[in-house]
Amino acid sequence: MLEILSNGTPPSNLNLLEVRSGHQRGPSETREFHELTKRDAQIRLEKELDNLLDTVDDPDRKHELRNETSRFAQLFNRFLQEDGPSVSWDKIEKLPEGAVRDYKTLTAPAASDIKYMLNKLVVIKLNGGLGTSMGCHGPKSVIPVRNDLTFLDLTVQQIESLNKQYDADVPLVLMNSFNTDEDTEKVIRKYKGFKVKIYTFNQSCFPRISRDSLLPVAKDYDVDKYLEAWYPPGHGDFYESFAQSGLLNQFISEGRDYCFLSNIDNLGATVDLNILNRLIQEQATGKPLEFVMEVTDKTRADVKGGTLIQYENKLRLLEIAQVPPEHVDDFKSVKTFKFFNTNNIWAKLTSIERILREGRLNMEIIVNPKTLEGGLRVVQLETAVGAAMKCFEGAIGINVPRDRFLPVKKCSDLLLVMSNLYSLQNGSLIMSPQRMFPTTPLVKLGENHFSKVKEFLSRFANIPDIIELDHLTVSGDVTFGRGVSLRGTVIIIANHGDRIDIPPGAILENKIVSGNMRILDH
């Protein structure tokens, strides 16, 4: 039987991931040992969660948090029970006909129907991320991306434009995290006079667990006091947090049918009337589409993105974390898996309510290991919103044009959206008709000099003309003068200790620039 120390802690060499997999210990270990280990880990976690709740004095707040910790305990229990990859590769089936519809087959709605359709819709943006990876403070949604307008500014402009043009009442809902809630609430006050109702709710705040002790690293519920001890558990938390907020039932009672959900940093994720029209038409037949995932053609730059598979007679999302190690190369194959998930999701509101009420929400767990300051190793358990696809009836994918997927994750993406590739119309980015190809250039900027927004902007007098650019690689200490034009394939490499200044008005077409080139003031 498992040796338990006097303080209720298992032997120190008991590793969390060993417990979960059951495959890392010696052959003499038995199934009984692992079951006892898992059971003990669950009991001790629940006791520790109760101790955390005891640090909360407000009864209403404690009741709210008890629901949250209960969900976390269920997630942790599943984490302990599930062994290895969640997919048996041999069970993956070919996508059936009609599982992924071609966007070109969709029809535009009649002008007289658009107001009715829009009033059936709720737009939801995932707004839980920070801009720290790009060197910015606060919510990522308040980073200026075009004409000094932020992601949030552009999103509000898009919805307001729809509401004004069609005299509609589409609400905007922001799912914040504890990291972004306070700052977002301050920012949205400036939209008070806009023709768009803005709602917010917070996703869950879960405790990070020590990889070694199996216990939460937090000692009380003062999140601000020890911010690193807590985390928002991925966008798969949307369904339950949306319901807990009361907004799901509110919108259903208002007669709204569908939500359109996307990442706030995906500037291509605008309301598409053709997709909405298809949803409304299918609903009229009595066999509504409950879940639609927008996918787009996979390229070699997207090989790690989630894809769609048919598995156990259900359409579902397959992420790289679920793939057995020996099949990772198969997963990355552009020929085998032709689509990847844009994370633009359309879902029927009453279907979300039914799935939650019946307890049928089941999403694969993403294990995200982290190392905190001081070297403490932790694990955070997350889920992805698209993984709920298998829980819905009548789920399909729609293969949309690439311009529906325009995320800004790095400064290389920022270069594209700030450039003359796009013009800005009512908050939406429209690709220039002068661009000969619908695909965007492949841009790679060196991490040491271009990863943070402030430094990135300091290296450009203005963003170059890239209408005819296919590929750009920049590495090292490089700056660009005003009016530079980049065409074809351009590679600029400044070696360590060297600097390259691209002069104003320079035209680089299919060029490799390396070494040291300085433009001196005189």
Side-chain angles (χ1 to χ4, degrees):
M1 183 168 290
L2 175 65
E3 174 195 357
I4 300 295
L5 305 184
S6 59
N7 63 357
T9 304
S12 60
N13 65 347
L14 183 61
N15 182 284
L16 173 62
L17 297 185
E18 292 178 22
V19 170
R20 181 173 187 260
S21 67
H23 298 306
Q24 300 296 319
R25 301 179 69 84
S28 63
E29 304 284 352
T30 64
R31 176 174 292 276
E32 180 184 7
F33 175 89
H34 292 296
E35 290 305 317
L36 288 169
T37 301
K38 294 174 182 179
R39 196 180 314 151
D40 175 72
Q42 185 71 21
I43 291 170
R44 289 183 308 105
L45 177 96
E46 291 178 0
K47 181 179 179 181
E48 199 64 25
L49 292 176
D50 285 339
N51 291 339
L52 285 174
L53 285 171
D54 287 341
T55 66
V56 179
D57 295 326
D58 185 337
D60 293 335
R61 176 66 174 152
K62 180 177 285 192
H63 176 73
E64 178 184 327
L65 291 174
R66 191 173 296 280
N67 290 332
E68 203 163 273
T69 56
S70 176
R71 296 209 308 274
F72 177 74
Q74 292 173 12
L75 188 67
F76 182 80
N77 184 49
R78 284 184 49 217
F79 167 71
L80 291 177
Q81 300 303 323
E82 295 174 2
D83 293 344
S86 59
V87 169
S88 296
W89 201 256
D90 294 341
K91 292 184 178 180
I92 295 178
E93 306 164 24
K94 183 179 179 181
L95 287 175
E97 188 175 349
V100 177
R101 316 273 176 89
D102 191 330
Y103 180 84
K104 295 175 183 176
T105 66
L106 304 183
T107 57
S112 57
D113 293 335
I114 294 178
K115 177 179 179 179
Y116 168 81
M117 289 167 40
L118 288 173
N119 287 341
K120 295 290 185 180
L121 182 67
V122 178
V123 173
I124 300 169
K125 294 291 182 177
L126 303 172
N127 185 47
L130 295 170
T132 49
S133 64
M134 295 175 70
C136 299
H137 300 289
K140 187 176 182 180
S141 58
V142 299
I143 296 176
V145 289
R146 181 85 188 203
N147 299 353
D148 290 326
L149 297 173
T150 67
F151 292 103
L152 192 51
D153 291 336
L154 295 176
T155 299
V156 171
Q157 282 191 13
Q158 291 165 16
I159 306 302
E160 184 188 43
S161 175
L162 278 176
N163 286 339
K164 282 184 173 179
Q165 183 176 354
Y166 299 106
D167 190 28
D169 183 26
V170 179
L172 172 63
V173 180
L174 303 174
M175 184 173 86
N176 301 330
S177 68
F178 63 87
N179 288 318
T180 63
D181 178 55
E182 185 176 347
D183 289 338
T184 299
E185 291 296 336
K186 292 176 183 176
V187 169
I188 62 176
R189 293 172 191 163
K190 71 178 182 179
Y191 306 121
K192 190 174 180 180
F194 285 60
K195 186 177 170 55
V196 52
K197 294 177 184 174
I198 302 177
Y199 301 84
T200 64
F201 71 96
N202 272 18
Q203 66 181 117
S204 299
C205 176
F206 282 175
R208 284 172 168 154
I209 50 179
S210 166
R211 181 182 173 120
D212 299 315
S213 72
L214 312 180
L215 298 175
V217 297
K219 299 307 176 188
D220 60 49
Y221 244 110
D222 188 345
V223 176
D224 293 330
K225 181 179 175 183
Y226 190 12
L227 201 60
E228 276 205 322
W230 304 88
Y231 73 99
H235 41 60
D237 182 62
F238 157 73
Y239 303 100
E240 288 177 309
S241 291
F242 187 42
Q244 288 285 331
S245 72
L247 289 173
L248 174 60
N249 284 334
Q250 175 184 327
F251 290 132
I252 290 174
S253 67
E254 290 176 2
R256 301 189 187 273
D257 290 331
Y258 286 94
C259 65
F260 171 53
L261 180 145
S262 62
N263 298 331
I264 199 161
D265 64 3
N266 180 5
L267 295 176
T270 58
V271 173
D272 189 283
L273 294 177
N274 294 0
I275 296 177
L276 181 58
N277 185 43
R278 183 58 177 263
L279 293 172
I280 300 299
Q281 287 177 340
E282 295 278 353
Q283 181 165 267
T285 68
K287 293 183 178 180
L289 293 172
E290 294 188 352
F291 190 100
V292 170
M293 176 182 291
E294 292 186 35
V295 297
T296 194
D297 291 341
K298 183 191 284 192
T299 69
R300 296 192 183 280
D302 312 308
V303 292
K304 293 184 179 180
T307 191
L308 286 182
I309 59 171
Q310 183 79 358
Y311 193 84
E312 297 178 340
N313 297 318
K314 297 284 282 189
L315 194 62
R316 64 184 274 183
L317 175 66
L318 177 66
E319 301 275 12
I320 193 168
Q322 301 159 233
V323 177
E326 64 271 20
H327 289 289
V328 167
D329 288 341
D330 298 325
F331 174 82
K332 292 181 178 180
S333 168
V334 176
K335 292 182 179 179
T336 306
F337 298 104
K338 299 178 180 179
F339 311 112
F340 82 97
N341 172 28
T342 66
N343 217 43
N344 299 346
I345 305 293
W346 303 74
K348 189 164 174 58
L349 297 177
T350 53
S351 301
I352 296 175
E353 189 278 331
R354 183 195 73 236
I355 289 167
L356 291 173
R357 175 168 35 85
E358 295 176 354
R360 294 197 296 107
L361 186 65
N362 179 26
M363 295 171 286
E364 287 73 30
I365 297 172
I366 300 167
V367 181
N368 191 354
K370 299 276 186 179
T371 300
L372 306 185
E373 288 186 14
L376 179 62
R377 299 185 308 162
V378 299
V379 171
Q380 52 191 51
L381 308 179
E382 305 174 5
T383 55
V385 67
M389 185 179 209
K390 62 183 180 181
C391 306
F392 290 79
E393 301 298 326
I396 65 166
I398 293 181
N399 186 15
V400 298
R402 185 75 186 200
D403 61 12
R404 299 276 304 156
F405 184 68
L406 194 59
V408 180
K409 304 293 183 185
K410 298 180 178 181
C411 289
S412 53
D413 303 319
L414 198 56
L415 174 68
L416 295 177
V417 301
M418 295 179 72
S419 74
N420 62 341
L421 272 183
Y422 298 97
S423 60
L424 190 61
Q425 297 180 19
N426 299 320
S428 298
L429 294 181
I430 309 298
M431 184 172 281
S432 169
Q434 296 178 38
R435 177 74 175 171
M436 294 182 65
F437 308 103
T439 55
T440 56
L442 180 61
V443 176
K444 298 179 180 179
L445 302 178
E447 288 293 314
N448 291 336
H449 296 84
F450 290 86
S451 63
K452 308 303 181 187
V453 172
K454 185 176 181 180
E455 185 173 17
F456 162 82
L457 293 174
S458 73
R459 292 186 171 276
F460 294 91
N462 68 346
I463 301 299
D465 168 8
I466 62 171
I467 287 289
E468 298 179 39
L469 179 67
D470 299 321
H471 179 117
L472 173 66
T473 293
V474 182
S475 179
D477 187 359
V478 179
T479 64
F480 294 80
R482 184 171 296 277
V484 171
S485 180
L486 305 174
R487 303 170 186 174
T489 296
V490 177
I491 300 173
I492 306 170
I493 307 291
N495 295 323
H496 181 70
D498 291 341
R499 174 172 163 179
I500 295 177
D501 294 324
I502 304 300
I507 299 175
L508 301 181
E509 182 172 3
N510 296 322
K511 295 288 185 184
I512 297 177
V513 181
S514 63
N516 190 48
M517 182 170 68
R518 300 290 299 275
I519 306 298
L520 302 177
D521 293 329
H522 62 280

